[in-house]
Amino acid sequence: MDIALVVLALLLVLLVVAVIYAWRWVRMRRHGGVSVALRWQPDRDRSGWHLGIGRYQGEEFVWYRVWSLRIAPDRVFRRDDLEIADRREPIGTESYAVPAGSTVLRCESGRQEAIEIAMGPGALTGFLSWLESAPPGRRIPRS
């Protein structure tokens, strides 16, 4: 009987964790989040893609990993630090690891390592618009 209670408790904990992940995913998507795959240190052979949700917060693009319990973003990119170095289509098995119809952008920054961001057509349009709306070095006056 004690083993059955332990198993039931473990199943309940797993169910609660699954519900928290689902709730977090839906909440972020409804509040302007877009599906984005991110890969840091893309020049390394074993660098893999990580799925997540990206959101725009003023001058920052914040990225939350899907399978993470962190409340804070896993990565934060400032608009004036990002520069697109290259654009390409997913190669080989990458197309299975990134959102459907993705374009891969290689971004470089003076402060952080190079990253690759993969996003679908709609998210890509929004990202490029956000990135180009205030070019590096130009500040928008606040009233």
Side-chain angles (χ1 to χ4, degrees):
M1 191 69 166
D2 292 330
I3 294 175
L5 287 175
V6 170
V7 170
L8 185 62
L10 285 174
L11 288 175
L12 185 61
V13 167
L14 288 174
L15 179 65
V16 168
V17 169
V19 167
I20 289 171
Y21 275 118
W23 173 78
R24 181 176 179 234
W25 180 272
V26 169
R27 185 174 150 258
M28 279 196 255
R29 291 293 306 239
R30 286 191 179 169
H31 290 23
V34 293
S35 294
V36 176
L38 187 67
R39 182 166 82 155
W40 45 92
Q41 298 176 339
D43 298 325
R44 285 188 15 203
D45 290 337
R46 301 192 140 246
S47 175
W49 288 100
H50 303 277
L51 292 178
I53 297 288
R55 293 181 61 195
Y56 306 100
Q57 294 181 345
E59 296 295 310
E60 297 177 334
F61 181 73
V62 296
W63 181 80
Y64 298 85
R65 184 180 288 194
V66 171
W67 301 110
S68 172
L69 292 176
R70 290 187 62 179
I71 295 172
D74 291 282
R75 299 282 175 146
V76 177
F77 305 100
R78 293 205 39 86
R79 179 184 356 221
D80 55 357
D81 286 343
L82 281 179
E83 182 178 321
I84 297 174
D86 191 23
R87 179 190 291 208
R88 64 177 177 83
E89 297 300 316
I91 301 168
T93 59
E94 280 184 332
S95 59
Y96 300 112
V98 298
S102 286
T103 298
V104 177
L105 300 176
R106 181 185 176 91
C107 297
E108 295 178 350
S109 165
R111 297 181 189 175
Q112 298 176 347
E113 76 255 56
I115 59 164
E116 286 187 333
I117 300 174
M119 53 184 73
L124 177 64
T125 301
F127 182 77
L128 294 175
S129 295
W130 171 80
L131 194 59
E132 295 171 358
S133 65
R138 187 180 114 207
R139 295 285 174 227
I140 299 171
R142 310 244 185 234
S143 51

